[in-house]
Amino acid sequence: MTDQSGNVFGDGPVVLPVGGPLYLQLKRWIEDAIKRGTIKPGDALPSERDLALRADVSRVTVRKAVQQMVQEGVLVQRHGSGTFVAPETQRVEQSLSQLTSFTEDMARRGMSVRAEWLDRGLYTASPEETVVLGLTSGERAARIARLRLTGDTPLAIERASLSSNILPDPAGIGDSLYKYLDKFGVRPVRAIQRIRAANIAEDDAHLLQVPMGSAGLHIERISYLATGRVIEFTRSIYRGDTYDFVAELRLGDPSVGVKS
């Protein structure tokens, strides 16, 4: 951690990078100090006043640079404590070539994961759920929503919908939905998954402990039984700074599709 003087950048003159507005120059200077290890995750920045004096800029410039870095997740502000370099987050990789549950995927990596239940119950199906799941008139939707964490770090929010005929008791699920479905012979065997970039909305950002508007991954998955019936409709939001999806690509046979 930094010493009590707050002199985290050494005693030499401050030379801001050239180019752009002053607040961006200061922002790059602080980012460079973090990359060099001059200040480390968890270290406190000097006060706004001290940083302004040290860099020979106005407090407004310091405030603007710090606010942008907080929005980007580089710095975190703690009420009554100050501004700190954000802790490092462990990135997680998930293969796009295998259909596994979150719990199974993390277990293969030797990672300890847990879930906090946000919701689980039976509801009147929305028009989207009715169409995607192929529900009959009057059939309700079973919904489960979970916050996924590794250690104390939130990774994702998962919101899944299934037919109430398939999942009549959402409260009976343990640590894995797929493990629960497997007991009744209705575990999905394939899925179509769509991934797109998204800015995390306020409520989800609070749960994921990131600034509102942070980069995230919105994932929609429709899973099928061997019969072709849709079994699960899941919409999830993943933190963009902790999760990577990896796909193995193979070169196709150039002779396929060529007429003789």
Side-chain angles (χ1 to χ4, degrees), residues 168-186:
D169 180 22
I173 299 171
D175 59 351
S176 171
L177 171 62
Y178 281 10
K179 187 184 296 184
Y180 180 86
L181 294 176
D182 199 24
K183 291 193 301 183
F184 301 98
V186 287

Side-chain angles (χ1 to χ4, degrees), residues 231-251:
I231 185 72
E232 172 201 18
F233 177 38
T234 297
R235 287 151 294 184
S236 305
I237 188 76
Y238 284 72
R239 280 177 53 164
D241 63 338
T242 61
Y243 226 82
D244 294 322
F245 285 86
V246 180
E248 179 182 2
L249 305 178
R250 297 176 183 271
L251 184 64

Side-chain angles (χ1 to χ4, degrees), residues 92-152:
V92 176
E93 288 189 357
Q94 180 177 344
S95 171
L96 288 174
S97 60
Q98 290 182 308
L99 179 58
T100 57
S101 71
F102 183 94
T103 305
E104 292 167 339
D105 197 55
M106 296 300 102
R108 288 206 316 271
R109 289 162 171 75
M111 297 181 66
S112 173
V113 297
R114 61 188 178 89
E116 292 183 2
W117 288 103
L118 305 175
D119 184 28
R120 48 180 165 175
L122 301 177
Y123 296 89
T124 299
S126 69
E128 185 179 26
E129 289 171 328
T130 298
V131 171
V132 174
L133 294 171
L135 304 182
T136 59
S137 177
E139 189 176 352
R140 293 198 292 175
R143 295 177 190 162
I144 61 172
R146 294 168 289 183
L147 177 65
R148 296 295 202 169
L149 307 97
T150 176
D152 293 324

